Amino acid sequence: MSDGALIDIRRLEIFCRVVEQQSFTKAAEATLLAQPTVSEHIRLLEESLGEKLLDRLGRQVLPTPAGDILYRYARRMLRLRDEAVQALADFRGKLSGHLTIGASTIPGAYLLPPLIRRFKEEHPEIRLTLRIAGSGRIRQDLAQGELELAIIGDQGRHPDLTAREIFADELILAAPPGHPLTRQEKVAPADLCRHPFLMREEGSGTRDVMTRALGEAGFDPARLDVVAEMGSSDAIRQGIKAGLGLSILSNLAVEEDLKNGALVRIPLTGVPMTRPFYLVQRKNRQLTPLAQTFLDFLPAHP
């Protein structure tokens, strides 16, 4: 390996974007560079280190074993750079810089975007990135130091992380307008058996909360007439609107549809379903000024 002291930190940043986007084209868009410029930066980085860092597999770009090693250290170097910038900005009394927070699907898609907009209004100098993935992946990124804060629907258990409930969401029974159940005065879980039902995929937090709540109410979810399992709340929403069936899903996910009449909420007797969301962070790690500012912002903006 040649002299690593010649590594340019901007090239490391571009390299990380290529790894994260798995694409030169998307990395170019993210860094506001032309694709040939991104390719040249990667070529010069590989040349300076004497290692091939990326494999181009069709349209997908993946790190080599050497690239995996560099990526882990590059992320740490970039975080340290950002922390230095934040510390100096804090010293001057004006916070600025880049903060990346994580979220699982429901809080990432429906809860955090309006909060981030309000946070940006109060702190326009802070650039904030939201990384959305499954709860397990987000916990892994937190444990590896890729993220400082995250809001997820499954607190899980990890020796290096702490979790506390910060928000809650209600799960509701949703149907298209005119569905037969909308004409019933009371709807019990047993009534669901007579109608096609759309279910989230196995392992979904929404599905776990729903099946547990129905079971505690004395109803076996296996009795549901499941006509399809879908991998996202948005797919479920569209399926309900298309008349494929009814479903139980996040109130946050269907809030707009309920307001404009595209979907109808059906009260389900005797089955309260509340799903907590957890703020998760590393144990015994002091937050950067940006992360602390965002953490302080959350309780005041429910």
Side-chain angles (χ1 to χ4, degrees), residues 72-110:
R72 292 197 300 270
Y73 282 95
R75 290 303 310 161
R76 289 164 60 183
M77 293 167 69
L78 293 172
R79 284 195 304 275
L80 188 60
R81 176 203 62 183
D82 292 343
E83 288 177 17
V85 171
Q86 292 169 26
L88 289 171
D90 190 38
F91 174 74
R92 293 192 300 266
K94 184 177 183 181
L95 275 178
S96 64
H98 183 206
L99 173 65
T100 301
I101 61 173
S104 55
T105 307
I106 293 296
Y110 303 106

Side-chain angles (χ1 to χ4, degrees), residues 192-269:
L192 303 180
C193 301
R194 298 181 284 106
H195 302 276
F197 195 87
L198 303 178
M199 184 80 85
R200 279 294 303 271
E201 80 284 6
E202 194 75 41
S204 157
T206 298
R207 175 169 172 162
D208 290 344
V209 172
M210 180 200 77
T211 55
R212 183 168 60 251
L214 289 175
E216 290 173 353
F219 177 80
D220 183 0
R223 295 173 57 196
L224 293 170
D225 179 19
V226 178
V227 296
E229 292 189 6
M230 298 184 175
S232 71
S233 294
D234 190 56
I236 294 283
R237 285 175 52 239
Q238 300 304 329
I240 298 172
K241 289 192 279 189
L244 295 180
L246 46 74
S247 188
I248 293 172
L249 71 171
S250 163
N251 183 64
L252 286 170
V254 296
E255 195 170 19
E256 287 300 318
D257 290 321
L258 296 176
K259 287 179 180 177
N260 62 32
L263 293 178
V264 176
R265 174 178 180 168
I266 301 176
L268 195 57
T269 303

Side-chain angles (χ1 to χ4, degrees), residues 15-43:
F15 166 74
C16 288
R17 287 301 181 95
V18 175
V19 171
E20 291 158 2
Q21 300 286 342
Q22 298 184 352
S23 163
F24 280 88
T25 301
K26 292 179 179 178
E29 294 172 356
T31 55
L32 303 178
L33 296 172
Q35 184 174 330
T37 303
V38 170
S39 298
E40 179 65 9
H41 276 294
I42 298 302
R43 185 191 70 79

Side-chain angles (χ1 to χ4, degrees), residues 116-151:
I116 290 173
R117 175 182 58 79
R118 291 154 72 183
F119 180 76
K120 284 285 294 176
E121 289 173 355
E122 294 185 17
H123 304 279
E125 301 300 321
I126 297 177
R127 185 164 59 94
L128 200 149
T129 298
L130 178 61
R131 184 183 301 178
I132 301 175
S135 294
R137 174 58 189 272
I138 293 297
R139 280 196 299 272
Q140 179 182 339
D141 289 347
L142 282 163
Q144 293 178 348
E146 298 292 326
L147 300 167
E148 290 189 82
L149 298 172
I151 296 176

Side-chain angles (χ1 to χ4, degrees), residues 4 12 47 162 166 238 299:
L12 288 179
E47 184 179 284
T162 62
I166 188 168
Q238 300 304 329

